[in-house]
Amino acid sequence: MKHQQIVPGGDGAHYVPYEKRTGNESIAYFTRDLSPEGLQKIYKRVSGNIKGKVGIKLHTGEKNGPNIISREWVKHLVQEELPDVSIIETNTYYEGDRYTTEAHRETLKVNGWTFCPVDIMDEEGTAMLPVKDGKWFTEMSVGNHMLNYDSMVTLTHFKGHTMGGFGGSNKNIGIGCADGRIGKAMIHTAEGSDNMWSIAEEELMQSLQRQPSISLANR
């Protein structure tokens, strides 16, 4: 029987009922203490395997954009728990305040991400990483600095997203680590299309779920 190749941009898969799903269930911790100390406390609950060179993946925002996690929370966590950490980001697929590395670094200054190093991971190129058991991809292009890290902490603000529904840690990592030109195009644009946002919405959401993470989400 000939294997049917799944073509990105065609049709997303269908909903899988809970009782038919496979794999381990996720463990989630919640806190009502929305403060720097609250973030530090819940971080300690999940930090047992955070080792080696650590990157904090978060959305640093457009210039003066309100949709970012509190800088003071992150600053407190860095100073108290992760003094040698770098915030990690990549450039955007769309033209804007973070489209080029130069513009991105200016935006970081405007938004106050100056209390620790910020590594724009695709500043010096890209790397193709294999995607184990991938449905839409067998490999993905990421910022090549990603290979320098042993652990990643995801700090995610809760948001609504036009194509991806509710954005969370899967989006923060799945798109946020893909480089701005190749990887993000693979996720968003159907091959041969002149519409950069042509990937079907359900397929897009599936495409984001390709990398494991330890994540902290403020609600």
Side-chain angles (χ1 to χ4, degrees):
M1 179 177 178
K2 186 177 180 180
H3 175 69
Q4 182 179 1
Q5 179 67 34
I6 296 176
V7 180
D11 183 27
H14 299 288
Y15 175 78
V16 178
Y18 180 82
E19 62 273 11
K20 294 184 179 180
R21 299 179 190 180
T22 59
N24 296 329
E25 293 181 327
S26 299
I27 299 174
Y29 297 97
F30 294 90
T31 180
R32 296 183 183 276
D33 184 359
L34 302 182
S35 69
E37 293 74 22
L39 177 60
Q40 180 184 4
K41 182 177 179 180
I42 201 167
Y43 169 77
K44 290 182 177 181
R45 297 292 300 269
V46 299
S47 62
N49 291 317
I50 301 297
K51 301 174 182 177
K53 184 174 176 60
V54 180
I56 292 182
K57 180 67 189 74
L58 51 80
H59 173 63
T60 53
E62 304 298 333
K63 282 185 178 178
N64 301 306
N67 299 319
I68 52 179
I69 194 170
S70 168
R71 289 173 295 273
E72 293 306 311
W73 294 15
V74 181
K75 183 178 180 179
H76 178 83
L77 183 66
V78 167
Q79 292 176 340
E80 297 297 323
E81 302 291 338
L82 296 162
D84 299 322
V85 79
S86 293
I87 291 172
I88 54 178
E89 267 279 35
T90 55
N91 293 320
T92 58
Y93 183 39
Y94 56 86
E95 295 189 30
D97 295 336
R98 298 178 295 136
Y99 185 66
T100 66
T101 297
E102 182 179 10
H104 200 156
R105 292 210 176 278
E106 178 61 29
T107 301
L108 291 167
K109 293 177 184 178
V110 170
N111 287 350
W113 301 107
T114 56
F115 50 83
C116 73
V118 179
D119 183 356
I120 299 177
M121 294 188 293
D122 55 346
E123 179 176 7
E124 298 180 308
T126 66
M128 278 289 187
L129 297 183
V131 179
K132 183 179 180 182
D133 299 326
K135 175 176 182 179
W136 301 107
F137 308 111
T138 58
E139 58 183 1
M140 174 52 56
S141 181
V142 301
N144 63 9
H145 289 188
M146 186 177 175
L147 279 61
N148 298 333
Y149 294 90
D150 302 299
S151 302
M152 184 185 300
V153 175
T154 311
L155 299 180
T156 303
H157 68 284
F158 187 77
K159 64 174 289 187
H161 186 267
T162 303
M163 293 184 70
F166 290 122
S169 294
N170 281 335
K171 178 181 181 296
N172 194 6
I173 297 173
I175 289 184
C177 291
D179 69 277
R181 301 297 174 269
I182 304 171
K184 287 183 172 69
M186 292 170 66
I187 295 169
H188 281 294
T189 307
E191 187 174 354
S193 173
D194 57 3
N195 174 8
M196 65 188 298
W197 311 113
S198 54
I199 289 291
E201 292 176 5
E202 188 172 357
E203 179 187 325
L204 173 72
M205 289 185 280
Q206 294 171 353
S207 297
L208 303 184
Q209 301 178 47
R210 67 176 190 280
Q211 299 181 56
S213 68
I214 292 178
S215 62
L216 297 168
N218 73 304
R219 301 172 65 245

